[in-house]
Amino acid sequence: MRDKIINKSEELFLNFGFKSVTMDDLANELGISKKTIYVHFPNKTKLVEATTLHMFETISCGIDCISQLKKNPIEEIFDIKQFVMEHLKNEKSSPQYQLQKYYPKIFATLKTKQFDVMQNCVTENLNRGIKLELYRDNINVDFISRLYFNGMVALKDQDLFPLKSFSMNSLMEYYIEYHLRGICTSKGLETLTKLLKINQINK
């Protein structure tokens, strides 16, 4: 039952946001009483904490699987972006922004975990790209990896990028292209141009 509650919570939080969904909503969706939910989660904060951790672990495992394929590093970035967007349902409710606003302690913990995963993933991607001569060999890998993470976090700030003006999918695409154009060699830019064309065709 605990897993069912987490899975349904994840679905509702992603669609409607952490603030909007109540314990009553969750109980109604599952066809159970609130008492049953409280057996597993004493309050909504504990439920949000467990659900965000579950989402994080699911996405981290997916990113690891993609990274282990050792694909072209530029292609890998697009594959990871696609995987994350599918799992976060294009972030229609801007869950990370709401998490930061209403559950700051959970957000801070999650951000630290996300940084560790992304720092390893991006650093490995950059080093592999340099070896394959797709990325410039004079870039500072540690600086770029931290800048990339910081930019990804900023994209989810609705004060900077309101969802009525930008879809999360578009923001991610703009940012990835911006990132890659800054570090690619001429060889890398050829690959990037091909992938951008494929993306346009598949839209």
Side-chain angles (χ1 to χ4, degrees):
M1 179 53 73
R2 190 176 191 276
D3 288 343
K4 279 187 179 179
I5 293 170
I6 288 175
N7 288 333
K8 180 55 73 174
S9 298
E10 184 175 320
E11 179 189 325
L12 293 175
F13 288 147
L14 287 175
N15 280 320
F16 304 107
F18 287 104
K19 182 167 172 34
S20 304
V21 178
T22 66
M23 296 298 244
D24 283 314
D25 294 330
L26 181 58
N28 289 337
E29 284 285 328
L30 286 165
I32 60 175
S33 69
K34 272 201 298 185
K35 284 183 181 178
T36 305
I37 298 173
Y38 287 126
V39 167
H40 300 279
F41 304 99
N43 53 55
K44 187 179 173 184
T45 300
K46 289 294 182 186
L47 175 62
V48 168
E49 187 176 40
T51 305
T52 53
L53 183 61
H54 179 261
M55 283 192 272
F56 167 78
E57 287 173 349
T58 301
I59 290 171
S60 295
C61 286
I63 290 173
D64 283 344
C65 289
I66 293 169
S67 298
Q68 284 167 16
L69 296 174
K70 303 295 180 191
K71 293 172 105 174
N72 177 300
I74 297 173
E75 193 178 338
E76 178 181 271
I77 288 178
F78 280 93
D79 286 353
I80 288 173
K81 172 253 174 190
Q82 185 62 33
F83 171 80
V84 171
M85 293 310 296
E86 284 171 4
H87 276 266
L88 293 181
K89 302 181 188 296
N90 292 326
E91 303 205 46
K92 291 170 190 168
S93 63
S94 190
Q96 193 143 321
Y97 180 76
Q98 286 200 12
L99 193 68
Q100 182 176 10
K101 191 171 182 181
Y102 301 108
Y103 299 93
K105 286 185 180 177
I106 298 173
F107 173 80
T109 302
L110 182 66
K111 186 179 174 184
T112 301
K113 288 176 178 291
Q114 288 174 332
F115 174 75
D116 290 339
V117 169
M118 273 193 71
Q119 182 74 351
N120 289 334
C121 173
V122 176
T123 298
E124 198 275 337
N125 179 281
L126 290 169
N127 284 325
R128 211 150 42 83
I130 291 168
K131 282 181 186 174
L132 294 170
E133 298 181 350
L134 296 169
Y135 303 153
R136 291 183 289 109
D137 61 8
N138 62 343
I139 62 172
N140 184 311
V141 170
D142 190 44
F143 171 75
I144 297 292
S145 62
R146 290 169 187 273
L147 191 67
Y148 187 74
F149 175 77
N150 207 44
M152 280 292 183
V153 172
L155 293 184
K156 299 172 194 298
D157 185 336
Q158 280 198 354
D159 294 326
L160 283 174
F161 301 105
L163 287 178
K164 63 183 178 184
S165 303
F166 304 95
S167 75
M168 186 51 65
N169 196 53
S170 296
L171 283 173
M172 294 275 277
E173 286 182 359
Y174 298 152
Y175 184 61
I176 286 171
E177 183 178 354
Y178 175 81
H179 164 71
L180 289 169
R181 286 193 182 279
I183 63 172
C184 276
T185 59
S186 55
K187 180 182 173 183
L189 286 173
E190 286 178 19
T191 303
L192 175 60
T193 301
K194 286 176 188 172
L195 284 170
L196 290 172
K197 281 181 182 175
I198 291 168
N199 272 9
Q200 285 297 321
I201 292 167
N202 290 337
K203 278 186 178 178

